[in-house]
Amino acid sequence: MQNLRIDGDRLWASLMEMARIGATRKGGVNRQALTELDGKGRDLFVQWCQEAGCSVRVDAVGNIFARRPGRDDSLAPVMTGSHLDTQPTGGKWDGVFGVLSGLEVLRTLNDFNYETERPVEVSVWTNEEGCRFAPAMMGSGVAVGKFDLDEIYAKTDAEGNSFRDELQAIGYLGPEPAKVAEVAAFFETHIEQGPILEDEEKTIGIVQGAQGQRWFDVTLTGQEAHAGPTPMKVRRDALVGAAAVVAAVNRVGHDFQPGACATVGQFDVSPNSRNTIPGSVTFSVDFRHPVDDRLSAMKAELETAAKEAAEANGLELDLREIWYQPPIVFDADCVAAVQQGAETVGLSAMEIVSGAGHDACHISELAPTGMIFVPCKDGISHNEVESATKEDCAAGCNVLLHALIERANAV
Amino acid sequence: MQNLRIDGDRLWASLMEMARIGATRKGGVNRQALTELDGKGRDLFVQWCQEAGCSVRVDAVGNIFARRPGRDDSLAPVMTGSHLDTQPTGGKWDGVFGVLSGLEVLRTLNDFNYETERPVEVSVWTNEEGCRFAPAMMGSGVAVGKFDLDEIYAKTDAEGNSFRDELQAIGYLGPEPAKVAEVAAFFETHIEQGPILEDEEKTIGIVQGAQGQRWFDVTLTGQEAHAGPTPMKVRRDALVGAAAVVAAVNRVGHDFQPGACATVGQFDVSPNSRNTIPGSVTFSVDFRHPVDDRLSAMKAELETAAKEAAEANGLELDLREIWYQPPIVFDADCVAAVQQGAETVGLSAMEIVSGAGHDACHISELAPTGMIFVPCKDGISHNEVESATKEDCAAGCNVLLHALIERANAV
């Protein structure tokens, strides 16, 4: 059993075949949720699962579950999965790798006639990307009761098409209730979407959990005035204050290592005219940390720094927290199964924390969960140049195989 | 002669009458250059000058010169003037005060049958604002040979109307060559368009000259990346670098007192998305200083700070100087005449440097020049709420009267 390995060529061939559905000229994929192309991708996956002898269920939000029976089929299944939808200029691996590595595990178990104690299921979660219908991670969110199904049905895309109509149109408005029943363990393999594994020259990321996030909107308001005749000492320059807050956000990010990320991504200056002193600046602050107390301490430092910058420059401050997501800590047994899997296969591995949201973050609210990351080139994702190697994909899939088997046999 | 005073009520009445031409509902004036309203304003001024016994000339760029003869009419005249055109949402005083205080001086000299040695002329310079036809300060610029007349004729407004056609349409394409002949002294009275006089509680600004200006375009380029999965230590965040340069620009402004102004007014972040680390930032830097060496030293400090910010954050730096205007120092005799005028009238006064460009800055290239500033409320100009008091207008006009007489009698 320790020597069991998946077929890396077969996995790669499936990835490349799926990538032809919605292929873009620049080598990426545009297969947005509930489009005709999403339907074709789902059809191909279902066909492959049926060819592998699986039964397939579809639930009311379009989530797909392919099941390989266990020795005791009454036991709660172990499950793995991710999503098949992409960004408009997405890549070949984001999501798809997690689905097709699950399929490859099923195929490998079949190859060796390996019987697990528990059933093994591979899931496809509807609309993880959220680019056509917001918010993101819809299918997994409905399945764990975080989103209301009727509200999700009523969501519309930019052309006014409803989620429900589009789901029905591609034939994936299923009869099963959109609710995850008992799951013994859930794993998701995914490209890292960051540069850490590549920089550290590790093949496997043993994901410990996901960063907590706090998002803020900040507006500093001073006084517009002519850049020429207005002396420095009477100015109330909103940009000078905002620049001090940007510096503070960056300092907080460095001070709260390990694990902190701190970013000002959106930044709008008004009136944004060359010879006018800026009257107001509105900007975003994105704080992330895997430890909740540290994340709260980062917030406190932001509040202090923003107040100081406002006072020092005679500005009015409006600082609002617009989103708070506590850190997620994955199940110890699942994390251990991933670590053991990497050791069994003999791969270099490191502990890592997910900076992005994944379906696994939702599922972790109901089921013991773990994730496996593999490197992606230059840390780039959500981009047509997104790239991962055949060897790394095979490595991640082998770790998944062993983690799933370990949990499937733990009864 | 020391007791000679202008008629403040008459000056104010003329200001208010002129302000009816193009009056806006919010109490401002919209009388843009070479519009029908500009023509009406000019007609009213010419009528007033003729009623005051002046001869009136119009040159090929539309500049108007109203002349009161001197005892020796062969001597070069002393001259005062400004502009009658306004911003689209301009005020009642910017420019107009300089023209009508000149007219009020002529009227006052008539009242007292006061004969100056030199002739006295009041000028109206075409299109100072530059909002309908760019660049600004056109008429004075052509008159001193800084702009080419045919190039100016060819300029078009947003609707494609040419400067020449519009000048002809309002009847001010004059026969005189657009070139200032010898002028013994030129004065311009103007609202300050800044808060200094008000803050210092002085009535008269004895303008020493105009700030030099250096304008820069700066681009810092790093690497766009996801805000979540990208560790702080590998980031190349263009906004963090740009914020450091904004802080440095502000520090330079404070370090180079007295006289320095330093502003980042335009600031554009790309891709400007909440959860993406900014890949590039492009921004303007506006440096002003009345002393050329100090202005150059400010530039050197900017270059050093920008290089340091780029290196500290792994960014590429593109820093270009796009405009350089050396400081202007007004004529010592003219400045002294203004100072003496304020003393004669018994007004509180202070030395000041103009932060904005004025027609006087152009004229100073050909003729000994001085300027007189009066306060404007809250330092606000180019705005319908622009406001100056009757008393301050009268005060500035009285200083002009005595400065002009002093220079008109210096032969």
Side-chain angles (χ1 to χ4, degrees):
Chain A
M1 202 278 279
Q2 301 286 309
N3 296 328
L4 217 58
R5 293 292 181 275
I6 60 94
D7 183 338
D9 290 332
R10 182 171 55 192
L11 170 60
W12 191 255
S14 295
L15 281 165
M16 293 307 111
E17 192 170 339
M18 184 63 80
R20 282 155 62 186
I21 302 173
T24 63
R25 277 186 305 168
K26 289 185 182 169
V29 178
N30 177 2
R31 193 172 58 234
Q32 294 177 64
L34 310 194
T35 57
E36 199 185 332
L37 290 169
D38 185 19
K40 284 189 183 169
R42 289 161 172 263
D43 291 347
L44 179 59
F45 171 73
V46 168
Q47 178 198 324
W48 281 338
C49 290
Q50 288 168 338
E51 287 168 4
C54 294
S55 59
V56 174
R57 310 188 308 278
V58 179
D59 74 13
V61 75
N63 297 323
I64 307 172
F65 301 90
R67 180 181 178 101
R68 184 176 187 269
R71 198 188 319 268
D72 181 351
D73 212 39
S74 69
L75 291 173
V78 293
M79 188 183 284
T80 186
S82 189
H83 59 97
L84 287 174
D85 67 307
T86 74
Q87 291 279 327
T89 52
K92 299 186 181 83
W93 291 269
D94 177 2
V96 189
F97 169 58
V99 172
L100 297 186
S101 58
L103 173 64
E104 177 54 33
V105 166
L106 297 186
R107 287 169 167 169
T108 299
L109 296 176
N110 287 348
D111 291 343
F112 292 90
N113 292 314
Y114 187 97
E115 204 168 27
T116 52
E117 287 299 318
R118 294 175 181 277
V120 178
E121 295 196 355
V122 178
S123 53
V124 175
W125 306 107
T126 295
N127 186 27
E128 194 271 350
E129 296 291 359
C131 46
R132 185 180 172 205
F133 296 95
M137 305 195 287
M138 267 189 184
S140 55
V142 171
V144 300
K146 201 154 188 170
F147 300 143
D148 178 75
L149 181 60
D150 287 327
E151 283 178 24
I152 293 297
Y153 276 165
K155 299 283 183 187
T156 53
D157 68 6
E159 277 82 47
N161 303 303
S162 81
F163 180 95
R164 190 180 194 285
D165 289 347
E166 294 296 283
L167 182 61
Q168 195 155 39
I170 63 166
Y172 282 86
L173 181 66
E176 302 275 330
K179 181 162 176 29
V180 169
E182 199 191 343
V183 172
F186 180 79
F187 293 97
E188 182 171 1
T189 47
H190 209 285
I191 55 170
E192 181 198 340
Q193 302 185 292
I196 298 173
L197 293 175
E198 197 175 65
D199 286 356
E200 304 284 336
E201 299 184 344
K202 304 288 186 192
T203 303
I204 298 296
I206 304 159
V207 185
Q208 309 294 303
Q211 296 170 333
Q213 301 187 29
R214 287 184 183 273
W215 284 6
F216 306 88
D217 280 347
V218 186
T219 297
L220 288 164
T221 307
Q223 174 71 51
E224 256 178 62
H226 280 277
T230 309
M232 297 304 290
K233 67 174 178 179
V234 305
R235 295 180 175 211
R236 296 170 53 211
D237 186 330
L239 179 55
V240 171
V245 181
V246 170
V249 165
N250 189 56
R251 177 182 54 70
V252 168
H254 285 281
D255 285 355
F256 281 74
Q257 295 302 317
C261 284
T263 310
V264 177
Q266 204 162 8
F267 193 91
D268 295 298
V269 175
S270 171
N272 208 30
S273 162
R274 177 180 290 278
N275 58 357
T276 304
I277 297 163
S280 74
V281 180
T282 297
F283 57 98
S284 65
V285 176
D286 176 331
F287 276 164
R288 309 196 186 199
H289 203 288
V291 181
D292 207 22
D293 284 353
R294 302 279 284 165
L295 186 60
S296 298
M298 291 168 74
K299 175 181 175 176
E301 296 229 0
L302 170 66
E303 286 168 341
T304 302
K307 263 179 217 158
E308 284 174 4
E311 277 166 26
N313 294 283
L315 309 175
E316 284 164 43
L317 168 67
D318 181 18
L319 188 154
R320 289 164 202 226
E321 184 171 77
I322 59 161
W323 192 50
Y324 167 52
Q325 161 73 54
I328 292 167
V329 178
F330 284 153
D331 176 73
D333 291 335
C334 288
V335 173
V338 172
Q339 180 167 4
Q340 184 57 50
E343 283 170 22
T344 299
V345 185
L347 297 165
S348 65
M350 64 180 286
E351 296 185 357
I352 197 167
V353 172
S354 177
H358 293 289
D359 291 311
C361 297
H362 277 158
I363 305 305
S364 72
E365 299 193 10
L366 281 192
T369 294
M371 283 191 81
I372 301 155
F373 277 176
V374 297
C376 61
K377 191 170 183 325
D378 300 327
I380 295 171
S381 180
H382 285 194
N383 194 306
E384 289 165 280
V385 305
E386 177 184 285
S387 182
T389 67
K390 183 158 89 170
E391 292 67 29
D392 289 342
C393 289
C397 189
N398 272 318
V399 174
L400 176 67
L401 172 72
H402 286 279
L404 272 178
I405 288 175
E406 194 277 328
R407 287 287 91 194
N409 292 337
V411 291
Chain B
M1 200 278 277
Q2 301 285 310
N3 295 329
L4 218 56
R5 293 291 182 276
I6 59 94
D7 182 338
D9 290 331
R10 181 171 56 193
L11 170 60
W12 191 255
S14 295
L15 281 165
M16 294 306 111
E17 192 170 342
M18 183 62 80
R20 283 156 61 187
I21 303 173
T24 64
R25 278 185 304 168
K26 289 186 183 169
V29 179
N30 178 1
R31 195 172 58 234
Q32 294 177 64
L34 311 195
T35 57
E36 199 185 331
L37 290 169
D38 185 19
K40 284 188 182 170
R42 288 160 172 264
D43 290 349
L44 179 60
F45 171 73
V46 168
Q47 177 197 323
W48 281 339
C49 290
Q50 287 168 339
E51 287 168 3
C54 293
S55 60
V56 175
R57 309 188 309 279
V58 178
D59 74 13
V61 75
N63 296 323
I64 307 172
F65 302 90
R67 181 181 177 101
R68 182 178 189 269
R71 198 189 320 269
D72 180 351
D73 212 40
S74 69
L75 290 172
V78 293
M79 186 184 283
T80 186
S82 189
H83 59 98
L84 287 174
D85 67 307
T86 74
Q87 292 279 328
T89 52
K92 299 187 180 81
W93 291 270
D94 177 3
V96 189
F97 170 58
V99 172
L100 297 186
S101 59
L103 172 66
E104 176 55 34
V105 166
L106 297 185
R107 288 169 166 170
T108 299
L109 295 175
N110 287 347
D111 292 343
F112 293 89
N113 291 316
Y114 188 97
E115 205 170 25
T116 52
E117 286 298 316
R118 295 175 181 277
V120 179
E121 296 196 354
V122 179
S123 52
V124 175
W125 306 107
T126 296
N127 185 27
E128 195 270 349
E129 295 292 358
C131 46
R132 185 180 173 205
F133 296 95
M137 303 195 289
M138 266 188 183
S140 54
V142 170
V144 299
K146 202 153 186 171
F147 300 144
D148 178 74
L149 182 59
D150 287 327
E151 284 177 24
I152 294 297
Y153 276 164
K155 299 284 183 189
T156 53
D157 68 6
E159 277 82 48
N161 303 303
S162 82
F163 180 96
R164 190 181 195 283
D165 288 349
E166 294 295 283
L167 183 61
Q168 196 155 39
I170 64 166
Y172 282 86
L173 182 67
E176 301 275 329
K179 180 162 178 24
V180 169
E182 199 190 342
V183 172
F186 179 81
F187 293 97
E188 181 171 3
T189 48
H190 208 283
I191 56 170
E192 180 199 341
Q193 302 184 292
I196 298 173
L197 292 175
E198 196 174 64
D199 285 356
E200 303 284 336
E201 299 184 346
K202 305 289 186 191
T203 303
I204 298 296
I206 305 160
V207 186
Q208 309 295 302
Q211 295 170 331
Q213 301 188 30
R214 287 184 182 272
W215 283 7
F216 305 87
D217 279 347
V218 186
T219 297
L220 288 165
T221 307
Q223 174 70 52
E224 253 177 65
H226 280 277
T230 309
M232 298 304 290
K233 67 175 180 180
V234 306
R235 294 180 175 210
R236 297 168 54 211
D237 185 329
L239 178 55
V240 171
V245 181
V246 170
V249 165
N250 189 57
R251 177 183 54 71
V252 168
H254 286 281
D255 285 354
F256 281 75
Q257 295 301 319
C261 284
T263 309
V264 176
Q266 204 163 7
F267 193 90
D268 295 298
V269 175
S270 172
N272 208 30
S273 163
R274 177 179 291 277
N275 59 357
T276 304
I277 297 162
S280 74
V281 180
T282 296
F283 57 98
S284 64
V285 176
D286 175 331
F287 276 164
R288 309 196 186 199
H289 203 287
V291 181
D292 208 22
D293 284 354
R294 301 278 285 163
L295 186 60
S296 299
M298 291 169 75
K299 174 181 175 176
E301 295 229 0
L302 171 65
E303 287 168 341
T304 301
K307 264 179 216 157
E308 284 173 4
E311 278 166 26
N313 294 284
L315 309 174
E316 284 164 41
L317 169 67
D318 181 19
L319 188 154
R320 290 164 202 225
E321 184 170 80
I322 59 161
W323 191 50
Y324 167 51
Q325 161 74 53
I328 292 167
V329 178
F330 285 152
D331 176 72
D333 290 337
C334 288
V335 173
V338 171
Q339 180 166 4
Q340 185 57 50
E343 284 172 21
T344 299
V345 185
L347 297 165
S348 66
M350 64 179 286
E351 297 185 356
I352 198 168
V353 172
S354 176
H358 293 290
D359 291 313
C361 298
H362 277 157
I363 305 306
S364 72
E365 298 192 9
L366 281 189
T369 293
M371 284 190 81
I372 300 153
F373 277 175
V374 299
C376 61
K377 190 169 183 328
D378 300 326
I380 295 171
S381 181
H382 285 194
N383 195 304
E384 289 165 281
V385 305
E386 177 184 287
S387 181
T389 68
K390 184 158 90 170
E391 292 67 29
D392 288 341
C393 289
C397 189
N398 272 318
V399 174
L400 175 67
L401 172 73
H402 286 280
L404 272 176
I405 290 176
E406 194 276 329
R407 287 287 91 192
N409 292 337
V411 292

